[in-house]
mmCIF file with all atom_site columns, all heavy atoms in Angstrom:
data_model
loop_
_atom_site.group_PDB
_atom_site.id
_atom_site.type_symbol
_atom_site.label_atom_id
_atom_site.label_alt_id
_atom_site.label_comp_id
_atom_site.label_asym_id
_atom_site.label_entity_id
_atom_site.label_seq_id
_atom_site.pdbx_PDB_ins_code
_atom_site.Cartn_x
_atom_site.Cartn_y
_atom_site.Cartn_z
_atom_site.occupancy
_atom_site.B_iso_or_equiv
_atom_site.pdbx_formal_charge
_atom_site.auth_seq_id
_atom_site.auth_comp_id
_atom_site.auth_asym_id
_atom_site.auth_atom_id
_atom_site.pdbx_PDB_model_num
ATOM 1   N N   . ARG A 1 98  ? -1.941  -21.072 -13.963 1.00 97.00 ? 1385 ARG A N   1
ATOM 2   C CA  . ARG A 1 98  ? -3.263  -20.688 -13.365 1.00 97.00 ? 1385 ARG A CA  1
ATOM 3   C C   . ARG A 1 98  ? -3.250  -19.297 -12.805 1.00 97.00 ? 1385 ARG A C   1
ATOM 4   O O   . ARG A 1 98  ? -4.175  -18.594 -13.029 1.00 97.00 ? 1385 ARG A O   1
ATOM 5   C CB  . ARG A 1 98  ? -3.866  -21.608 -12.493 1.00 97.00 ? 1385 ARG A CB  1
ATOM 6   C CG  . ARG A 1 98  ? -4.301  -22.952 -13.009 1.00 97.00 ? 1385 ARG A CG  1
ATOM 7   C CD  . ARG A 1 98  ? -4.670  -24.016 -12.032 1.00 97.00 ? 1385 ARG A CD  1
ATOM 8   N NE  . ARG A 1 98  ? -3.559  -24.568 -11.388 1.00 97.00 ? 1385 ARG A NE  1
ATOM 9   C CZ  . ARG A 1 98  ? -3.578  -25.408 -10.439 1.00 97.00 ? 1385 ARG A CZ  1
ATOM 10  N NH1 . ARG A 1 98  ? -4.771  -25.790 -9.906  1.00 97.00 ? 1385 ARG A NH1 1
ATOM 11  N NH2 . ARG A 1 98  ? -2.376  -25.826 -9.999  1.00 97.00 ? 1385 ARG A NH2 1
ATOM 12  N N   . SER A 1 99  ? -2.183  -18.893 -12.280 1.00 97.00 ? 1386 SER A N   1
ATOM 13  C CA  . SER A 1 99  ? -2.145  -17.517 -11.749 1.00 97.00 ? 1386 SER A CA  1
ATOM 14  C C   . SER A 1 99  ? -1.993  -16.519 -12.929 1.00 97.00 ? 1386 SER A C   1
ATOM 15  O O   . SER A 1 99  ? -2.543  -15.455 -12.662 1.00 97.00 ? 1386 SER A O   1
ATOM 16  C CB  . SER A 1 99  ? -0.839  -17.500 -10.736 1.00 97.00 ? 1386 SER A CB  1
ATOM 17  O OG  . SER A 1 99  ? 0.331   -17.692 -11.425 1.00 97.00 ? 1386 SER A OG  1
ATOM 18  N N   . SER A 1 100 ? -1.468  -16.838 -13.928 1.00 96.00 ? 1387 SER A N   1
ATOM 19  C CA  . SER A 1 100 ? -1.412  -16.001 -15.167 1.00 96.00 ? 1387 SER A CA  1
ATOM 20  C C   . SER A 1 100 ? -2.818  -15.766 -15.619 1.00 96.00 ? 1387 SER A C   1
ATOM 21  O O   . SER A 1 100 ? -3.231  -14.679 -15.899 1.00 96.00 ? 1387 SER A O   1
ATOM 22  C CB  . SER A 1 100 ? -0.634  -16.659 -16.213 1.00 96.00 ? 1387 SER A CB  1
ATOM 23  O OG  . SER A 1 100 ? -0.643  -15.782 -17.401 1.00 96.00 ? 1387 SER A OG  1
ATOM 24  N N   . VAL A 1 101 ? -3.712  -16.831 -15.604 1.00 96.00 ? 1388 VAL A N   1
ATOM 25  C CA  . VAL A 1 101 ? -5.165  -16.779 -16.085 1.00 96.00 ? 1388 VAL A CA  1
ATOM 26  C C   . VAL A 1 101 ? -5.894  -15.847 -14.990 1.00 96.00 ? 1388 VAL A C   1
ATOM 27  O O   . VAL A 1 101 ? -6.648  -14.952 -15.317 1.00 96.00 ? 1388 VAL A O   1
ATOM 28  C CB  . VAL A 1 101 ? -5.725  -18.069 -16.153 1.00 96.00 ? 1388 VAL A CB  1
ATOM 29  C CG1 . VAL A 1 101 ? -7.270  -18.066 -16.277 1.00 96.00 ? 1388 VAL A CG1 1
ATOM 30  C CG2 . VAL A 1 101 ? -5.194  -18.923 -17.203 1.00 96.00 ? 1388 VAL A CG2 1
ATOM 31  N N   . ALA A 1 102 ? -5.658  -16.147 -13.772 1.00 97.00 ? 1389 ALA A N   1
ATOM 32  C CA  . ALA A 1 102 ? -6.200  -15.376 -12.682 1.00 97.00 ? 1389 ALA A CA  1
ATOM 33  C C   . ALA A 1 102 ? -5.945  -13.894 -12.719 1.00 97.00 ? 1389 ALA A C   1
ATOM 34  O O   . ALA A 1 102 ? -6.747  -13.044 -12.570 1.00 97.00 ? 1389 ALA A O   1
ATOM 35  C CB  . ALA A 1 102 ? -5.944  -15.948 -11.351 1.00 97.00 ? 1389 ALA A CB  1
ATOM 36  N N   . THR A 1 103 ? -4.580  -13.524 -12.856 1.00 97.00 ? 1390 THR A N   1
ATOM 37  C CA  . THR A 1 103 ? -4.120  -12.141 -12.912 1.00 97.00 ? 1390 THR A CA  1
ATOM 38  C C   . THR A 1 103 ? -4.745  -11.423 -14.064 1.00 97.00 ? 1390 THR A C   1
ATOM 39  O O   . THR A 1 103 ? -5.253  -10.239 -13.951 1.00 97.00 ? 1390 THR A O   1
ATOM 40  C CB  . THR A 1 103 ? -2.683  -11.940 -12.820 1.00 97.00 ? 1390 THR A CB  1
ATOM 41  O OG1 . THR A 1 103 ? -2.029  -12.578 -13.870 1.00 97.00 ? 1390 THR A OG1 1
ATOM 42  C CG2 . THR A 1 103 ? -2.214  -12.441 -11.516 1.00 97.00 ? 1390 THR A CG2 1
ATOM 43  N N   . ALA A 1 104 ? -4.936  -12.068 -15.246 1.00 96.00 ? 1391 ALA A N   1
ATOM 44  C CA  . ALA A 1 104 ? -5.566  -11.461 -16.316 1.00 96.00 ? 1391 ALA A CA  1
ATOM 45  C C   . ALA A 1 104 ? -6.990  -11.225 -16.172 1.00 96.00 ? 1391 ALA A C   1
ATOM 46  O O   . ALA A 1 104 ? -7.505  -10.157 -16.468 1.00 96.00 ? 1391 ALA A O   1
ATOM 47  C CB  . ALA A 1 104 ? -5.331  -12.456 -17.653 1.00 96.00 ? 1391 ALA A CB  1
ATOM 48  N N   . ALA A 1 105 ? -7.662  -12.147 -15.535 1.00 96.00 ? 1392 ALA A N   1
ATOM 49  C CA  . ALA A 1 105 ? -9.112  -11.943 -15.086 1.00 96.00 ? 1392 ALA A CA  1
ATOM 50  C C   . ALA A 1 105 ? -9.295  -10.847 -14.139 1.00 96.00 ? 1392 ALA A C   1
ATOM 51  O O   . ALA A 1 105 ? -10.212 -9.954  -14.266 1.00 96.00 ? 1392 ALA A O   1
ATOM 52  C CB  . ALA A 1 105 ? -9.718  -13.232 -14.543 1.00 96.00 ? 1392 ALA A CB  1
ATOM 53  N N   . MET A 1 106 ? -8.350  -10.649 -13.307 1.00 97.00 ? 1393 MET A N   1
ATOM 54  C CA  . MET A 1 106 ? -8.398  -9.617  -12.241 1.00 97.00 ? 1393 MET A CA  1
ATOM 55  C C   . MET A 1 106 ? -8.136  -8.316  -12.923 1.00 97.00 ? 1393 MET A C   1
ATOM 56  O O   . MET A 1 106 ? -8.890  -7.311  -12.575 1.00 97.00 ? 1393 MET A O   1
ATOM 57  C CB  . MET A 1 106 ? -7.480  -9.949  -11.123 1.00 97.00 ? 1393 MET A CB  1
ATOM 58  C CG  . MET A 1 106 ? -7.770  -11.181 -10.245 1.00 97.00 ? 1393 MET A CG  1
ATOM 59  S SD  . MET A 1 106 ? -6.632  -11.555 -8.990  1.00 97.00 ? 1393 MET A SD  1
ATOM 60  C CE  . MET A 1 106 ? -6.900  -10.280 -7.824  1.00 97.00 ? 1393 MET A CE  1
ATOM 61  N N   . LYS A 1 107 ? -7.224  -8.227  -13.803 1.00 96.00 ? 1394 LYS A N   1
ATOM 62  C CA  . LYS A 1 107 ? -6.863  -6.988  -14.543 1.00 96.00 ? 1394 LYS A CA  1
ATOM 63  C C   . LYS A 1 107 ? -8.091  -6.557  -15.255 1.00 96.00 ? 1394 LYS A C   1
ATOM 64  O O   . LYS A 1 107 ? -8.552  -5.360  -15.405 1.00 96.00 ? 1394 LYS A O   1
ATOM 65  C CB  . LYS A 1 107 ? -5.675  -7.098  -15.367 1.00 96.00 ? 1394 LYS A CB  1
ATOM 66  C CG  . LYS A 1 107 ? -4.425  -7.175  -14.629 1.00 96.00 ? 1394 LYS A CG  1
ATOM 67  C CD  . LYS A 1 107 ? -3.298  -7.583  -15.527 1.00 96.00 ? 1394 LYS A CD  1
ATOM 68  C CE  . LYS A 1 107 ? -2.090  -8.157  -14.788 1.00 96.00 ? 1394 LYS A CE  1
ATOM 69  N NZ  . LYS A 1 107 ? -1.009  -8.492  -15.677 1.00 96.00 ? 1394 LYS A NZ  1
ATOM 70  N N   . ASP A 1 108 ? -8.741  -7.440  -16.062 1.00 95.00 ? 1395 ASP A N   1
ATOM 71  C CA  . ASP A 1 108 ? -9.979  -7.229  -16.788 1.00 95.00 ? 1395 ASP A CA  1
ATOM 72  C C   . ASP A 1 108 ? -11.029 -6.783  -15.870 1.00 95.00 ? 1395 ASP A C   1
ATOM 73  O O   . ASP A 1 108 ? -11.962 -5.962  -16.382 1.00 95.00 ? 1395 ASP A O   1
ATOM 74  C CB  . ASP A 1 108 ? -10.412 -8.441  -17.589 1.00 95.00 ? 1395 ASP A CB  1
ATOM 75  C CG  . ASP A 1 108 ? -9.485  -8.793  -18.722 1.00 95.00 ? 1395 ASP A CG  1
ATOM 76  O OD1 . ASP A 1 108 ? -8.619  -7.980  -19.153 1.00 95.00 ? 1395 ASP A OD1 1
ATOM 77  O OD2 . ASP A 1 108 ? -9.604  -9.921  -19.229 1.00 95.00 ? 1395 ASP A OD2 1
ATOM 78  N N   . ALA A 1 109 ? -11.183 -7.166  -14.602 1.00 96.00 ? 1396 ALA A N   1
ATOM 79  C CA  . ALA A 1 109 ? -12.099 -6.830  -13.670 1.00 96.00 ? 1396 ALA A CA  1
ATOM 80  C C   . ALA A 1 109 ? -11.823 -5.497  -13.030 1.00 96.00 ? 1396 ALA A C   1
ATOM 81  O O   . ALA A 1 109 ? -12.686 -5.039  -12.223 1.00 96.00 ? 1396 ALA A O   1
ATOM 82  C CB  . ALA A 1 109 ? -12.395 -7.926  -12.614 1.00 96.00 ? 1396 ALA A CB  1
ATOM 83  N N   . GLY A 1 110 ? -10.715 -4.839  -13.283 1.00 96.00 ? 1397 GLY A N   1
ATOM 84  C CA  . GLY A 1 110 ? -10.515 -3.521  -12.774 1.00 96.00 ? 1397 GLY A CA  1
ATOM 85  C C   . GLY A 1 110 ? -9.557  -3.433  -11.746 1.00 96.00 ? 1397 GLY A C   1
ATOM 86  O O   . GLY A 1 110 ? -9.258  -2.401  -11.110 1.00 96.00 ? 1397 GLY A O   1
ATOM 87  N N   . PHE A 1 111 ? -8.851  -4.552  -11.322 1.00 96.00 ? 1398 PHE A N   1
ATOM 88  C CA  . PHE A 1 111 ? -7.798  -4.580  -10.300 1.00 96.00 ? 1398 PHE A CA  1
ATOM 89  C C   . PHE A 1 111 ? -6.586  -3.792  -10.773 1.00 96.00 ? 1398 PHE A C   1
ATOM 90  O O   . PHE A 1 111 ? -6.229  -3.856  -11.965 1.00 96.00 ? 1398 PHE A O   1
ATOM 91  C CB  . PHE A 1 111 ? -7.434  -6.073  -9.924  1.00 96.00 ? 1398 PHE A CB  1
ATOM 92  C CG  . PHE A 1 111 ? -8.552  -6.730  -9.122  1.00 96.00 ? 1398 PHE A CG  1
ATOM 93  C CD1 . PHE A 1 111 ? -9.597  -7.296  -9.804  1.00 96.00 ? 1398 PHE A CD1 1
ATOM 94  C CD2 . PHE A 1 111 ? -8.390  -6.806  -7.720  1.00 96.00 ? 1398 PHE A CD2 1
ATOM 95  C CE1 . PHE A 1 111 ? -10.630 -7.926  -9.000  1.00 96.00 ? 1398 PHE A CE1 1
ATOM 96  C CE2 . PHE A 1 111 ? -9.338  -7.538  -7.063  1.00 96.00 ? 1398 PHE A CE2 1
ATOM 97  C CZ  . PHE A 1 111 ? -10.525 -8.001  -7.650  1.00 96.00 ? 1398 PHE A CZ  1
ATOM 98  N N   . THR A 1 112 ? -6.075  -2.913  -10.005 1.00 93.00 ? 1399 THR A N   1
ATOM 99  C CA  . THR A 1 112 ? -4.962  -2.138  -10.311 1.00 93.00 ? 1399 THR A CA  1
ATOM 100 C C   . THR A 1 112 ? -3.629  -2.465  -9.948  1.00 93.00 ? 1399 THR A C   1
ATOM 101 O O   . THR A 1 112 ? -2.686  -1.954  -10.576 1.00 93.00 ? 1399 THR A O   1
ATOM 102 C CB  . THR A 1 112 ? -5.278  -0.702  -9.717  1.00 93.00 ? 1399 THR A CB  1
ATOM 103 O OG1 . THR A 1 112 ? -5.382  -0.706  -8.315  1.00 93.00 ? 1399 THR A OG1 1
ATOM 104 C CG2 . THR A 1 112 ? -6.558  -0.086  -10.341 1.00 93.00 ? 1399 THR A CG2 1
ATOM 105 N N   . HIS A 1 113 ? -3.425  -3.465  -8.953  1.00 96.00 ? 1400 HIS A N   1
ATOM 106 C CA  . HIS A 1 113 ? -2.106  -3.878  -8.496  1.00 96.00 ? 1400 HIS A CA  1
ATOM 107 C C   . HIS A 1 113 ? -2.173  -5.298  -8.283  1.00 96.00 ? 1400 HIS A C   1
ATOM 108 O O   . HIS A 1 113 ? -2.498  -5.833  -7.217  1.00 96.00 ? 1400 HIS A O   1
ATOM 109 C CB  . HIS A 1 113 ? -1.732  -3.002  -7.212  1.00 96.00 ? 1400 HIS A CB  1
ATOM 110 C CG  . HIS A 1 113 ? -1.773  -1.643  -7.259  1.00 96.00 ? 1400 HIS A CG  1
ATOM 111 N ND1 . HIS A 1 113 ? -0.788  -0.940  -8.011  1.00 96.00 ? 1400 HIS A ND1 1
ATOM 112 C CD2 . HIS A 1 113 ? -2.605  -0.790  -6.821  1.00 96.00 ? 1400 HIS A CD2 1
ATOM 113 C CE1 . HIS A 1 113 ? -1.198  0.372   -7.923  1.00 96.00 ? 1400 HIS A CE1 1
ATOM 114 N NE2 . HIS A 1 113 ? -2.326  0.479   -7.268  1.00 96.00 ? 1400 HIS A NE2 1
ATOM 115 N N   . VAL A 1 114 ? -1.804  -6.176  -9.329  1.00 97.00 ? 1401 VAL A N   1
ATOM 116 C CA  . VAL A 1 114 ? -1.761  -7.583  -9.369  1.00 97.00 ? 1401 VAL A CA  1
ATOM 117 C C   . VAL A 1 114 ? -0.409  -8.078  -9.687  1.00 97.00 ? 1401 VAL A C   1
ATOM 118 O O   . VAL A 1 114 ? 0.144   -7.735  -10.798 1.00 97.00 ? 1401 VAL A O   1
ATOM 119 C CB  . VAL A 1 114 ? -2.837  -8.051  -10.149 1.00 97.00 ? 1401 VAL A CB  1
ATOM 120 C CG1 . VAL A 1 114 ? -2.935  -9.593  -10.141 1.00 97.00 ? 1401 VAL A CG1 1
ATOM 121 C CG2 . VAL A 1 114 ? -4.241  -7.448  -9.953  1.00 97.00 ? 1401 VAL A CG2 1
ATOM 122 N N   . GLN A 1 115 ? 0.282   -8.855  -8.830  1.00 97.00 ? 1402 GLN A N   1
ATOM 123 C CA  . GLN A 1 115 ? 1.495   -9.319  -9.253  1.00 97.00 ? 1402 GLN A CA  1
ATOM 124 C C   . GLN A 1 115 ? 1.475   -10.918 -9.219  1.00 97.00 ? 1402 GLN A C   1
ATOM 125 O O   . GLN A 1 115 ? 0.748   -11.535 -8.366  1.00 97.00 ? 1402 GLN A O   1
ATOM 126 C CB  . GLN A 1 115 ? 2.613   -8.989  -8.051  1.00 97.00 ? 1402 GLN A CB  1
ATOM 127 C CG  . GLN A 1 115 ? 2.594   -7.431  -7.802  1.00 97.00 ? 1402 GLN A CG  1
ATOM 128 C CD  . GLN A 1 115 ? 3.030   -6.666  -9.002  1.00 97.00 ? 1402 GLN A CD  1
ATOM 129 O OE1 . GLN A 1 115 ? 3.995   -7.081  -9.745  1.00 97.00 ? 1402 GLN A OE1 1
ATOM 130 N NE2 . GLN A 1 115 ? 2.435   -5.541  -9.142  1.00 97.00 ? 1402 GLN A NE2 1
#
Side-chain angles (χ1 to χ4, degrees):
R1385 287 176 283 177
S1386 59
S1387 176
V1388 170
T1390 57
M1393 292 174 78
K1394 291 174 198 176
D1395 288 346
F1398 287 77
T1399 54
H1400 304 286
V1401 182
Q1402 310 295 324

